[in-house]
Structure formats: C-alpha cells, structure tokens
Amino acid sequence: MERQALIYKTLKIVRDYAKANHLKIYIVGGFVRDYLIGKELKDMDFLIYPLNYNFLFVLTNLFNGKLIKLDEEREYYRIIINNNDEDIILDFTPIYENNLLLELLRRDFTINSIVLNLSSFKIIDPLNGLKDLERGILRISSPSSFKEDPLRILRAFRFLGYGFKIEKNTYEKIIEDREKLKSVKAERIHGEIYKILSSSFSSYLWIKMVETKVLEVILPELFVLKDIPWSNPHHEDPLMHSISSLSALEDIIYNIESIFPESYQQILTYLNKKFFSNYTKLETLKLAVLLHDIGKSETFSIDEASLVHYYGHSQKGVELLDNIGERLKLSKKEIIFLKKLIGTHMYPLSFIQNPVSNPIYKFTLRVKDDVPALILLFMADQISIKGKIENLDWYRKILNEFFRIKNTPKPLLTGNEIMEIFNLTPSPLIGKLKEKLIKAQINNKISTRDEAIRYLEEILKNETNS
C-alpha cells in the first residue's frame, strides 16, 4: 500500500478506536503543519486525555507494531509500525494538566501548535499558528520556549531552510538563550546539525548562525576563524571562506548534470548512499567543507613582507577534529571520513600545478573510494577563492577515470608481499611498483597473482639494466 494511503488508514483507526474508548484525542505538530501546506505527510504526534496504557497496548497489537515508553516521568509513548518503505511513527503525549492551551504554550513554534480535533475534524489554533504559517513566519509559542528545550534554537535555523522567516522577538530570544545550547546532549546537537546540512542550500543558515553567534556555541573551532587574517588570492576571512565554499558545493550539486554530464549519476549515487543513521555521505561532505580550514586558527603567520601563511593547516585541522568529534559524539566512521578529507583537501593542487599523466592512481591510493568527495571539496574551495570554475576538464577527467576503474579488483599483490617476494625494504619504490601493478590490472595486462609477479620481475629487471 502507498505510504500516504497507509498513513490515512492508520489515522482513521486511531480516531475510531479513541472514540470507542471515549478519549479526547488530537493531532498536533508537523503532521498538521505539513498537511496544511501540502507537503508529504510523515510521522504523527497525538495529544490524548486521559492517557490509557491499555488503549495504547491494544492499538499496538492492531497495527502489529512495537510500543516504546519514551519518557517515564512524562509518560510519552511511541508506536512503531513496520512498513516496507519506511516505518510509521505514532507518538502519544498526555495533555498537560488536561489544559490544551497550556500544552500548546509548551511547544516550540506557533506553526507547530495548530491542533486538529480528531473527533470533530475541527482546527484549534489559539496561538494564531495558521496566520504565521500563511505568512511564512517562525514565532516561538511562549517566551520560555528556548529555555524549556534549547535545541529548538537550532531547529529554528532548520525552518529557515524551509523558507520561513524568524520574527524579531524570536530572533532576539535566540541570541539571548544561545548559551543554553551547552546544556543539550551532544547526540541531539549532532543530529540537528545534520538536519540543517540536509537543506539543499544550507550556507545561508550558517551565515545566520554566525550573526547570532550560535555557531560560537556549537562549533567554536569554526567560529574563531572570523578573527584570522586572509591572504591572496583569498578575499574574505577563513570563516566566510568556509561558508562560501559550502555555498559553492551546494551550487555544484544543484547543477551537477551540466557540470559532469558523463558521471553525474554515479556522483549522485555516491553522495546519496546512506552513511550513518538516516544521513548520507553528502551531509558529511558538507560538514567537511565547513571544517576544511579550521587548522588555520593555529597555523597562520605573517612574514616580513606582510604576507599571510597557513603552513601545515591541513594536518592541524585533522588534530582539531578530535576535539570536535569527542564533543559532538561523532561516530568513528564520520571521523575517519572527515579527517581524510581535511587532511588531503590541498592534495589536488599539486597535480594541477605539476601535471602528471595518470593522477587518478595516486588519488585512489591516497583516498580510495572517496575521490569524488575530495574533488568536490577542492572544487568548492577553489570556486570560493576565484569566483568561477577553473580546470573543469581536469576535474571531469579525474572523476570519469575514477568511476571507470572503481570496480577494479583489489591489487593482486600487497606492498608487504612485494617486499617479501623480491627481497625489498620499505621505500618509495614499493608504492611505485604497486601503482604500476594496479594500472596493469585496470588495462587488463594481468589478471592472476603469477602474472603480477612476472610483470614486476620484468619491471625490476629493466630498471636494474638501465
């Protein structure tokens, strides 16, 4: 059954069963908001009085679902209904002191405080959320909204990405209460950052977080870049350059088909692959772009000619990422990916300045499957500096070659095996031999271990005789 039809059927069952049990039941929050503006309907938040555990237990069995108690003290429950495409989530909350107005005043924004009475199908809107929804205005439901849950501050920026404007008093409250974000669990901050990054054009949201100094609270390592001097050919401080780079990346993604006509589908498949939780590699790449220059805060220097340098900023950025990862509880998978990109984000420059015949092999050895991410980061970085795409043919060639060889099997001989077979000691020669071996495999010159050994024997013999 189509998901939307299943949601409506689920809603009717909940309504009919609640009426049969003489319960007051309402639906509130994002479901009502999205229904009113014609967006795809997802999970449902119910207000119920009185909260009857037996009602929830039987309802769970009707749906063949799973019942979870989310909050012991406040008696928040969740029913998870398994669906082939995506689970359907039903959240049930008791009405605070059996007073609907008090309940709505405890919610985040007026647009999420519009209520649908499931018994009568009448809209209840004491906080004028309908008017704010119509005008695209984001307004807190009460002056204490951010104090009750400071994560709502980050949620406000997420709504900016949906086209809402933050009204003046709410904006001032964000500035006033931003330090309270320090009390929020790291996992929640982490998740909200990714939701912000999932916006197609999130760079504007990060600028607003700079203006309100919310960024200083959640990512101080990035915020501090605003005080670092810049050098030619840069034309803005490292913080604004980082956000401009994110904007450039998002423009690249938006125009991906025209920029990479041969490989755009493969690039999108790579970027849209689930990376961790419900998030894709694209969101983590965006985070890498934001953080790629954090090392400049501790490496900048000014020489006798008043030129600014950032020697070693890539490696320093890798080191600073440990603090960020620990504070935000980043997964090991994220940290490995971010360190790889931050540590190598200048790597393509050497190939552009000193062209070599087949750089893709060196890229593959250095960053393996994440060549697309590194190229896109480097492109965004350079566009931010120069205001246009340069070396596009080179980028296209690299990515076309990468996807051509992506399905190449693992090297027939490892570096250790090469040293053991040919009685060699660790040296740059091992890497060169391995590179030639990979190239030979890709070009179908060799396909077995014995052929690989003979191939390298011939190379070493020629080098000895030359």
Side-chain angles (χ1 to χ4, degrees), residues 188-454:
R188 299 183 72 211
I189 298 283
H190 179 197
E192 203 62 42
I193 286 173
Y194 269 82
K195 288 175 183 176
I196 290 169
L197 289 169
S198 67
S199 171
S200 297
F201 297 97
S202 67
S203 53
Y204 170 71
L205 315 183
W206 293 94
I207 289 173
K208 289 299 179 183
M209 281 190 271
V210 173
E211 291 178 0
T212 55
K213 295 189 177 180
V214 166
L215 186 65
E216 184 177 21
V217 180
I218 62 170
L219 282 172
E221 297 87 351
L222 180 59
F223 186 77
V224 74
L225 294 180
K226 71 181 182 62
D227 298 322
I228 306 303
W230 68 88
S231 62
N232 289 328
H234 291 80
H235 56 275
E236 54 192 353
D237 66 66
L239 172 57
M240 292 314 299
H241 163 69
S242 299
I243 296 176
S244 295
S245 297
L246 175 61
S247 178
L249 174 69
E250 292 177 332
D251 284 341
I252 291 169
I253 302 304
Y254 186 75
N255 296 290
I256 194 78
E257 185 173 354
S258 61
I259 296 173
F260 293 106
E262 291 183 48
S263 58
Y264 76 93
Q265 289 180 326
Q266 292 165 298
I267 294 171
L268 291 177
T269 298
Y270 164 84
L271 292 174
N272 292 325
K273 185 177 180 181
K274 285 286 178 69
F275 191 51
F276 78 99
S277 186
N278 289 320
Y279 302 108
T280 67
K281 191 158 275 190
L282 175 57
E283 283 91 43
T284 315
L285 171 58
K286 288 186 181 185
L287 185 57
V289 171
L290 274 177
L291 300 177
H292 77 276
D293 273 347
I294 54 173
K296 288 183 175 180
S297 65
E298 297 190 14
T299 57
F300 80 91
S301 61
I302 303 175
D303 65 18
E304 293 177 356
S306 298
L307 296 175
V308 181
H309 304 281
Y310 313 103
Y311 297 125
H313 77 277
S314 297
Q315 185 54 42
K316 178 57 68 173
V318 169
E319 294 171 15
L320 289 174
L321 192 66
D322 285 327
N323 294 331
I324 296 173
E326 185 176 349
R327 189 176 67 251
L328 293 180
K329 305 298 181 189
L330 300 183
S331 67
K332 185 177 180 181
K333 199 173 185 181
E334 289 170 89
I335 291 172
I336 291 172
F337 179 74
L338 291 169
K339 282 187 173 184
K340 180 192 295 185
L341 293 189
I342 292 171
T344 61
H345 78 268
M346 298 295 293
Y347 189 56
L349 185 61
S350 61
F351 292 98
I352 291 175
Q353 293 177 337
N354 304 288
V356 295
S357 58
N358 288 299
I360 187 58
Y361 304 112
K362 293 183 182 294
F363 274 105
T364 303
L365 287 171
R366 188 77 178 266
V367 294
K368 297 183 173 58
D369 286 344
D370 291 315
V371 171
L374 178 59
I375 293 299
L376 292 173
L377 189 159
F378 183 77
M379 279 184 70
D381 188 10
Q382 294 300 301
I383 291 169
S384 173
I385 295 170
K386 300 174 182 178
K388 60 182 179 180
I389 299 179
E390 295 181 348
N391 305 299
L392 180 56
D393 287 343
W394 187 83
Y395 297 134
R396 286 172 173 170
K397 181 181 178 182
I398 289 290
L399 290 181
N400 289 343
E401 279 293 294
F402 169 77
F403 287 115
R404 185 178 72 83
I405 67 174
K406 188 175 184 298
N407 295 322
T408 300
K410 292 180 180 179
L412 292 168
L413 296 173
T414 67
N416 287 333
E417 287 174 327
I418 292 172
M419 288 189 287
E420 183 179 342
I421 292 169
F422 298 102
N423 195 27
L424 299 173
T425 57
S427 71
L429 174 62
I430 307 304
K432 291 177 182 178
L433 291 174
K434 191 174 176 183
E435 186 179 331
K436 289 182 178 182
L437 201 58
I438 293 173
K439 186 176 178 181
Q441 285 180 250
I442 292 168
N443 293 326
N444 297 317
K445 291 182 178 180
I446 58 174
S447 59
T448 69
R449 178 182 169 86
D450 288 342
E451 287 175 348
I453 293 172
R454 288 196 296 271

Side-chain angles (χ1 to χ4, degrees), residues 136-233:
I137 298 295
L138 193 69
R139 187 192 313 272
I140 48 178
S141 295
S142 75
S144 61
S145 182
F146 294 142
K147 289 184 176 66
E148 290 188 11
D149 185 359
L151 190 69
R152 292 169 174 175
I153 292 171
L154 292 187
R155 202 173 298 153
F157 292 103
R158 179 151 52 96
F159 276 103
L160 275 181
Y162 301 154
F164 287 88
K165 296 177 182 178
I166 301 175
E167 62 93 26
K168 183 174 180 293
N169 181 60
T170 301
Y171 192 83
E172 290 172 353
K173 278 289 182 183
I174 287 173
I175 296 172
E176 180 183 327
D177 293 336
R178 66 179 185 272
E179 290 290 331
K180 291 180 172 58
L181 278 165
K182 292 178 180 178
S183 67
V184 178
K185 286 184 177 180
E187 293 83 356
R188 299 183 72 211
I189 298 283
H190 179 197
E192 203 62 42
I193 286 173
Y194 269 82
K195 288 175 183 176
I196 290 169
L197 289 169
S198 67
S199 171
S200 297
F201 297 97
S202 67
S203 53
Y204 170 71
L205 315 183
W206 293 94
I207 289 173
K208 289 299 179 183
M209 281 190 271
V210 173
E211 291 178 0
T212 55
K213 295 189 177 180
V214 166
L215 186 65
E216 184 177 21
V217 180
I218 62 170
L219 282 172
E221 297 87 351
L222 180 59
F223 186 77
V224 74
L225 294 180
K226 71 181 182 62
D227 298 322
I228 306 303
W230 68 88
S231 62
N232 289 328

Side-chain angles (χ1 to χ4, degrees), residues 49-111:
Y49 184 83
L51 191 136
N52 185 317
Y53 179 81
N54 188 60
F55 164 80
L56 296 177
F57 181 79
V58 174
L59 197 60
T60 303
N61 288 335
L62 282 174
F63 291 126
N64 194 26
K66 182 179 180 181
L67 181 62
I68 300 172
K69 196 167 193 177
L70 296 177
D71 191 306
E72 189 76 32
E73 182 180 347
R74 291 181 287 184
E75 294 190 292
Y76 291 176
Y77 288 88
R78 171 170 292 174
I79 297 176
I80 301 174
I81 304 172
N82 183 257
N83 182 40
N84 291 332
D85 298 327
E86 186 180 353
D87 288 344
I88 294 174
I89 308 295
L90 314 180
D91 284 345
F92 293 85
T93 306
I95 299 172
Y96 183 68
E97 294 186 3
N98 192 25
N99 186 311
L100 193 57
L101 178 58
L102 290 179
E103 172 64 39
L104 298 182
L105 286 169
R106 300 173 73 216
R107 296 195 161 255
D108 54 4
F109 306 108
T110 58
I111 61 169

Side-chain angles (χ1 to χ4, degrees), residues 7-15 27 31 44 46 118:
I7 284 175
Y8 284 125
K9 181 179 179 181
T10 301
L11 198 59
K12 184 178 186 305
I13 291 171
V14 173
R15 171 184 179 263
I27 192 163
F31 186 92
M44 293 169 261
F46 295 97
L118 274 186

